[in-house]
Amino acid sequence: MPDLPELAASFTAALHGAGIAVGPDRTRSFARALTLLAPSTTRELRHCALATLVSDPEQIEPFDAVFREVFGGPADREAQRGQPGDPARSLRDAVPGRVPGTRKATGDGRDREADAQPREAPAPLAASPLDRLAGRDFAELSAEELARLSEVMRTMVLRTPTRPSRRRRTAHHGARIDVRRTLSASRRTGGYPLRLRRSVPRARPRDLIVLCDISGSMEPYARAMLQLLYCAARATHAEVFTFATRLTRLTPVLRRAGPDDALARAGRAAPDWSGGTRIAECLAEFNERFGRRGMAHGAVVAIISDGWDTGAPADLATQMARLSRVAHRVVWVNPRTASPRYRPLVAGMAAALPYCDAVVSAHNLAALGDFTAVLSAPRRRR
């Protein structure tokens, strides 16, 4: 895994030496573009850099000169893809600790060697206030700090694996013959079906169901996670529930609420906020009212809770077993697992663990990446 901040700082230092004003904000945007897009060719890498680092058409010519020196040119050479000299491969396999001898333009327009030997990359950029908050536990953040993170959390996408639907689409090598399209096409050949039309099922994302614990022990994390669940509720095929002493469906509330008052409306809709915890009873209600009616069939179910339950562990195990039989995956989000000394000694967590496909912490903004990755995992891993 490459050191993206070091790569971005090294390349932008070479651009700065060529007379292109590149500040910390553009360097951070370039590193983020590499993370999100993961360019696989030199042309894609150039587009990422051009879109984030250049602000004036007059800067394109010196930019291309530096890019050719550092990465070998913007040409999209298929023969170079995946080879040791491919700069896109270096983003995946190498840690670019040094920038190979870059050139910078002199006052008279001539190019001269900047350094005879490879030089060290400049020191990493200072972390912004948002970067510092990303690594802190949600329980340590104030209401104002959570509001700062909410803008980033609303840009996160919760994806689920796909499943075949009942609707079908045309395909060249489908297993089933599309009789209607075949007969329709045969009218052009005098009624003889000279070419068989085939079809395959369309792929649709699996439903996402999130049950969030809002009891007293989970209140700091519940307030942060509801900022993320606001986006999930507004997405297609997503349902959000909260539970403490009772089960509350928040999907209609969050879909009608705006981004600023979503948390306030959720608090008014759930009267048991910061109350006790009855996980087994709430899961039983969900299984009876929603799970058996088809909502949980083939869906990805995420349970956000620390496992503290006032009920009998055997009851929770029974309800988890019922849920796991109909759901595609069951993901348990427990912020307490972030501690290296954590052990599933709580009776509720110990009873639910055998029926979970994955357990993640999601205790801060940086750890939410594990949560989103687990949701999109293609198959069960119990």
Side-chain angles (χ1 to χ4, degrees):
M1 185 70 181
D3 189 348
L4 292 181
E6 188 174 356
L7 171 66
S10 302
F11 179 51
T12 53
L15 292 177
H16 188 76
I20 300 177
V22 180
D25 294 339
R26 294 184 183 177
T27 304
R28 185 165 53 249
S29 299
F30 176 51
R32 180 171 176 81
L34 295 181
T35 304
L36 295 177
L37 301 180
S40 59
T41 63
T42 310
R43 183 181 298 274
E44 295 174 359
L45 178 61
R46 177 180 177 271
H47 289 168
C48 289
L50 194 63
T52 54
L53 300 177
V54 175
S55 60
D56 193 296
E58 297 181 357
Q59 298 175 350
I60 296 180
E61 184 175 353
F63 167 84
D64 286 336
V66 175
F67 190 90
R68 283 192 295 269
E69 288 292 336
V70 176
F71 296 112
D76 189 5
R77 295 165 292 183
E78 293 295 334
Q80 190 186 15
R81 185 194 293 266
Q83 300 299 322
D86 185 9
R89 178 182 175 181
S90 66
L91 294 178
R92 302 187 299 268
D93 303 333
V95 179
R98 297 172 181 266
V99 176
T102 56
R103 297 177 181 269
K104 63 180 181 179
T106 58
D108 55 1
R110 294 180 294 104
D111 291 340
R112 62 181 177 84
E113 189 72 20
D115 294 303
Q117 300 295 330
R119 58 183 176 84
E120 296 290 342
L125 301 175
S128 66
L130 186 61
D131 295 333
R132 291 193 294 268
L133 292 178
R136 292 179 54 187
D137 195 293
F138 288 140
E140 302 174 357
L141 300 181
S142 62
E144 293 76 9
E145 292 171 334
L146 281 176
R148 296 181 191 175
L149 293 182
S150 63
E151 294 297 328
V152 180
M153 298 174 70
R154 290 168 191 160
T155 62
M156 302 180 69
V157 179
L158 302 182
R159 292 189 177 91
T160 57
T162 59
R163 63 186 303 181
S165 67
R166 296 181 179 180
R167 296 183 178 272
R168 306 184 68 86
R169 62 177 179 85
T170 304
H172 293 290
H173 304 287
R176 180 184 299 181
I177 298 176
D178 191 334
V179 179
R180 184 178 65 84
R181 292 182 181 274
T182 300
L183 294 179
S184 177
S186 67
R187 291 182 297 180
R188 303 176 183 176
T189 56
Y192 293 96
L194 300 182
R195 182 179 178 184
L196 297 179
R197 307 287 181 171
R198 299 183 179 274
S199 64
V200 295
R202 292 182 180 272
R204 53 164 291 187
R206 293 184 178 272
D207 296 343
L208 174 62
I209 301 174
V210 183
L211 294 91
C212 185
D213 187 349
I214 57 173
S215 61
S217 60
M218 281 292 296
E219 180 182 6
Y221 300 100
R223 293 184 178 275
M225 293 301 294
L226 281 177
Q227 297 286 353
L228 179 64
L229 301 182
Y230 167 78
C231 304
R234 300 180 70 86
T236 308
H237 305 298
E239 291 283 347
V240 179
F241 295 82
T242 59
F243 66 91
T245 57
R246 66 179 68 181
L247 183 72
T248 305
R249 183 170 177 255
L250 287 186
T251 307
V253 176
L254 295 180
R255 284 179 179 173
R256 292 194 303 265
D260 297 329
D261 60 345
L263 191 61
R265 291 196 179 187
R268 292 193 296 266
D272 55 343
W273 193 285
S274 299
T277 314
R278 299 174 182 174
I279 305 179
E281 295 182 13
C282 294
L283 275 183
E285 182 180 357
F286 173 79
N287 289 330
E288 290 292 335
R289 294 181 55 191
F290 303 99
R292 294 182 60 184
R293 295 184 179 182
M295 180 183 290
H297 283 258
V300 178
V301 181
I303 303 176
I304 305 173
S305 175
D306 55 5
W308 290 92
D309 188 17
T310 57
D315 295 338
L316 179 57
T318 300
Q319 299 305 323
M320 286 293 296
R322 294 179 60 190
L323 180 62
S324 65
R325 283 193 292 266
V326 298
H328 175 70
R329 302 194 77 217
V330 178
V331 178
W332 195 288
V333 182
N334 187 348
R336 312 299 179 186
T337 60
S339 173
R341 297 178 297 176
Y342 174 81
R343 297 294 182 272
L345 302 179
V346 178
M349 191 69 219
L353 195 59
Y355 305 99
C356 298
D357 298 286
V359 178
V360 294
S361 63
H363 62 288
N364 57 23
L365 186 63
L368 285 180
D370 297 334
F371 175 52
T372 57
V374 165
L375 290 182
S376 59
R379 54 181 179 269
R380 304 169 68 112
R381 297 179 180 176
R382 182 169 306 155

